[in-house]
Amino acid sequence: MNHSINPEEASRRCGFTLVELLVSLTIATLLGAVSLAAFGKMRKISQGAVCANSLRQLGVATRLYLDDHRQVFFLYRRDIDEGTLWYFGLEPMSSIGKSEGERTLDMKSGPLAPYIEIAGRIETCPAFSYRDALTKPKFKGASFGYGFNQFLNYTDKEGGVGVNALKGVNALTIENPAKIIVFGDCAQVNRHQPPASLTNPMIEEYYQIDQSQKTIHFRHGARAQFVFLDGHVESMPMWPGTLETALRSANIGRITLQGSREYLQ
């Protein structure tokens, strides 16, 4: 008996039909899309976790600082002989007046620096894209990427002017620490310092949270993260209608109505 198979029949048995090939390609494409979506979601979760941990460490460092300074907060900024001392580092006198992105910063000289060493490493928030074409740097390198509650400082009207009149609030006078933000995800839309302009708004780091400005950066799945005075970290959505429209894609706004001091004072 002749068991030979002709070439045409063998081709049909061993190969794919066009329909089978198209179905396989469709399945592979769908699996790839699902995998990419899952990877993107896991990446965002990871970024949020790193940010939350950094904020938690900042909260610990703040508590250590307060314990060593009679519960009085450090200042948002002040002028000293060496330059401008921000809460996140020293901008030396040689840096002041330089172009944006060329300013230098010594983060080891900030008021929290020795306490951060004890509390643990603080990572710059990975969800803030410093390399994005729409991002304008302030310094060579990044600062924390977090803003400080400006109401933890107050103005001493009887001494000094400007930033040199700032005084730290005593933490013991705050009735409900669980309701008061210390640090949170921050940024601003810059339209006045090159390379930013009115026609080319850019996003940059910002260092304060107050009752009026749109400086909260919703960079974690349309939410922003904050550490409160009691040490807990919380994720919050944007308050409706507060989006900074000069650069909608930056996703910057507020967590309360403009003028509200909730979570601040």
Side-chain angles (χ1 to χ4, degrees), residues 7 56 146 264-265:
R56 196 170 289 110
Y146 304 116
L264 300 175
Q265 195 176 46

Side-chain angles (χ1 to χ4, degrees), residues 190-202:
N190 190 308
R191 289 171 285 180
H192 59 280
Q193 292 173 307
S197 67
L198 289 175
T199 57
N200 181 44
M202 301 180 75

Side-chain angles (χ1 to χ4, degrees), residues 42-152:
M42 290 303 298
R43 183 169 178 268
K44 289 180 179 178
I45 291 173
S46 175
Q47 289 177 338
V50 170
C51 175
N53 185 64
S54 290
L55 284 167
R56 196 170 289 110
Q57 300 292 69
L58 275 174
V60 172
T62 297
R63 178 51 59 190
L64 292 172
Y65 177 96
L66 292 173
D67 288 345
D68 274 356
H69 292 82
R70 300 183 179 181
Q71 301 301 312
V72 175
F73 273 93
F74 43 87
L75 299 184
Y76 159 67
R77 61 166 285 195
R78 62 190 176 98
D79 296 328
I80 60 176
D81 291 341
E82 293 80 8
T84 298
L85 187 64
W86 302 88
Y87 61 82
F88 48 82
L90 173 67
E91 182 178 3
M93 197 65 75
S94 59
S95 170
I96 297 173
K98 285 188 176 182
S99 301
E100 296 287 284
E102 294 299 316
R103 294 157 61 181
T104 56
L105 185 68
D106 177 10
M107 295 184 70
K108 293 182 179 180
S109 296
L112 284 177
Y115 303 99
I116 288 171
E117 287 189 15
I118 298 171
R121 180 179 173 82
I122 293 184
E123 302 281 351
T124 301
C125 180
F128 191 107
S129 181
Y130 288 92
R131 297 182 179 180
D132 191 281
L134 288 175
T135 301
K136 185 186 78 60
K138 295 293 289 183
F139 298 97
K140 285 183 176 179
S143 64
F144 292 155
Y146 304 116
F148 179 58
N149 175 2
Q150 84 159 24
F151 288 98
L152 297 178

